[in-house]
Amino acid sequence: EETISFSDIGARLRAYRLGKGLSPETLAEKLGMSRAALYRAEKGEIRKIEALTSIAAQAQDPPVGEEREPRG
């Protein structure tokens, strides 16, 4: 069983943002948090379960203009 730390989640969140070419402001808005909260999350300082829920939901959404492949 793999354990993921908050710092790992933060690093993955930052990599996701940079990989998608999103500004901190844009991603923070999509996640429903302030830019400062996003920076804290990227450093692994995630304090609320709602932040994790928002991050997980955003990671599931296809980028604008792309469709998700149906699972079958």
Side-chain angles (χ1 to χ4, degrees), residues 1-24:
E1 184 175 317
E2 183 180 352
T3 301
I4 298 176
S5 69
F6 286 143
S7 61
D8 290 340
I9 293 170
R12 290 180 186 190
L13 176 61
R14 185 170 194 276
Y16 171 84
R17 177 176 62 78
L18 295 174
K20 298 291 183 186
L22 298 173
S23 70

Side-chain angles (χ1 to χ4, degrees), residues 33-66:
M33 62 177 60
S34 69
R35 188 182 70 197
L38 174 65
Y39 283 136
R40 284 193 302 272
E42 288 183 350
K43 292 192 311 187
E45 298 172 6
I46 300 169
R47 297 184 179 129
K48 296 183 178 180
I49 192 70
E50 293 84 5
L52 287 174
T53 303
S54 294
I55 291 166
Q58 178 62 37
Q60 301 269 333
D61 287 340
V64 174
E66 293 184 20

